[in-house]
Amino acid sequence: MTPTQLRAFAAVVRLGSVKAAAADLSVSEAAVSMHIAHLRKELGDRLFTRTGAGIAFTPGGLRLASRAAEMLGLQDRTILEVSQAGSGRRLLRVAASSLFAEHAAPGLIELFASRADDLDVELSVHSPQRFGTLLLERAVDVALGPRPATADEGLSRTPFLNYEMVAVVGPHHPLAAQRASLTASELRQQTWLLGPSAAGRIGLVPTVLHQLQVDEEHQRIFQSHAAALEEAKRGKGVALALSFAITQDLADGDLTRLAGPSLPAKGAWSVLALSHGAPPAAAELIRFVTTPRAIQAMLRGAGVTAGRFRPAIHVTLWS
């Protein structure tokens, strides 16, 4: 069983056909079929059959599918670690939800990375729904953000920060002078200015929108939560914001809080990692993230921009 054979099988699993797998791997369909045939012969299992509805996997094929992703991820990780060992450096790959990545991750990672001269940190943004898969496939070492709806028993979860989400408008918005609590009907009729976390199904932002039954036609989703807040300051609509990130804006009168059902909303962020086999740097971050220094770094407001990162930290945005 070779890595090339496993990559061919994993591509078939991921894409649902030999043709699509061949295109993805930039090889011929015959090459993919040959690799699959070798696996079938070595394992004594057909792995999958073609049906009118697509590909149907055997029980053995399903088991290999989960193992293949894990084995390939471990191989990539090993190659990386061996390469780094020669240069005396370590790499910690961190996945984060969009809300955490924008507001809390910069300060946390900047402080954490500054504690070790031999550590590089790579931050990538993902939906919390993918946290479990990314960790089990060893595509990342640790994940930060809201708790996924379901968590694999092979993962450990450590809550580390409670936060509050509030609804705000600019000083010239018609609702800015509203002192009484708004009704759900009044809120759902507003134009909602939202960051990318609104596009997901897990997290406090989609939860609030669901509870208020805000239709998609009333939602405007921006590339960042900061951009949504800037529009709110101009009186263009209602925005959802982390209370610790807008303290100064509220004090300066640039934003005004609204009261209503489901508002303010309270949530919690957690750190997820493999229960066994996580790299030492991941264990270090899990211990560090609950410390007072780490909490203060995350609560500094909107954090620091990507341009303020130390050179050892790399940011990758995944769509």
Side-chain angles (χ1 to χ4, degrees), residues 221-265:
I221 299 179
F222 294 79
Q223 289 184 317
S224 70
H225 300 88
L229 281 175
E230 287 302 314
E231 280 294 282
K233 291 177 183 179
R234 299 186 183 100
K236 302 297 184 180
V238 180
L240 287 172
L242 293 169
S243 57
F244 70 78
I246 58 167
T247 303
Q248 193 60 49
D249 290 319
L250 293 174
D252 294 341
D254 294 329
L255 291 171
T256 300
R257 287 181 58 161
L258 301 178
S262 304
L263 296 168

Side-chain angles (χ1 to χ4, degrees), residues 183-192 194 204-219 240 261-263:
T183 66
S185 178
E186 289 175 314
L187 285 169
R188 74 171 63 101
Q189 295 306 314
Q190 303 301 316
T191 297
W192 287 79
L194 307 162
L204 208 50
V205 171
T207 297
V208 170
L209 296 174
H210 176 72
Q211 290 174 343
L212 293 175
Q213 299 179 0
V214 180
D215 292 334
E216 289 188 4
E217 63 183 24
H218 291 292
Q219 300 179 29
L240 287 172
S262 304
L263 296 168

Side-chain angles (χ1 to χ4, degrees), residues 41 72 84 86 98 137-139 155 162 171 200 220 255 259 296:
K41 182 178 180 180
L72 290 169
Q84 290 175 334
S98 59
E137 293 182 354
R138 299 178 185 268
L155 303 178
N162 296 323
R220 292 178 59 198
L255 291 171
Q296 286 302 311

Side-chain angles (χ1 to χ4, degrees), residues 61-240:
L62 289 174
R63 179 160 297 184
L64 179 62
S66 63
R67 292 296 189 196
E70 183 177 349
M71 292 164 69
L72 290 169
L74 184 58
Q75 180 198 31
D76 292 340
R77 175 76 194 183
T78 302
I79 293 172
L80 181 63
E81 289 179 346
V82 170
S83 174
Q84 290 175 334
S87 62
R89 301 201 62 79
R90 298 177 294 157
L91 174 66
L92 178 65
R93 299 166 300 170
V94 179
S97 64
S98 59
L99 189 65
F100 183 87
E102 185 173 340
H103 289 286
L108 171 67
I109 293 179
E110 184 177 53
L111 181 59
F112 179 71
S114 69
R115 299 163 70 247
D117 292 335
D118 67 334
L119 181 65
D120 292 337
V121 179
E122 181 182 84
L123 174 66
S124 55
V125 180
H126 301 271
S127 165
Q129 294 173 239
R130 300 205 61 230
F131 282 175
T133 299
L134 291 168
L135 288 165
L136 292 172
E137 293 182 354
R138 299 178 185 268
V140 300
D141 303 310
V142 66
L144 300 161
R147 178 182 182 179
T150 58
D152 191 280
E153 60 183 17
L155 303 178
S156 65
R157 184 182 73 90
T158 304
F160 63 87
L161 182 62
N162 296 323
Y163 62 94
E164 182 182 72
M165 184 75 69
V166 297
V168 293
V169 293
H172 303 299
H173 191 279
L175 294 181
Q178 180 81 25
R179 300 301 178 187
S181 180
L182 297 164
T183 66
S185 178
E186 289 175 314
L187 285 169
R188 74 171 63 101
Q189 295 306 314
Q190 303 301 316
T191 297
W192 287 79
L193 311 171
L194 307 162
S197 58
R201 296 200 300 267
I202 296 175
L204 208 50
V205 171
T207 297
V208 170
L209 296 174
H210 176 72
Q211 290 174 343
L212 293 175
Q213 299 179 0
V214 180
D215 292 334
E216 289 188 4
E217 63 183 24
H218 291 292
Q219 300 179 29
R220 292 178 59 198
I221 299 179
F222 294 79
Q223 289 184 317
S224 70
H225 300 88
L229 281 175
E230 287 302 314
E231 280 294 282
K233 291 177 183 179
R234 299 186 183 100
K236 302 297 184 180
V238 180
L240 287 172

Side-chain angles (χ1 to χ4, degrees), residues 247-292:
T247 303
Q248 193 60 49
D249 290 319
L250 293 174
D252 294 341
D254 294 329
L255 291 171
T256 300
R257 287 181 58 161
L258 301 178
S262 304
L263 296 168
K266 298 184 182 298
W269 283 319
S270 299
V271 53
L272 279 79
L274 293 174
S275 300
H276 304 285
E284 292 173 23
L285 179 61
I286 292 171
R287 289 192 296 268
F288 179 72
V289 78
T290 59
T291 64

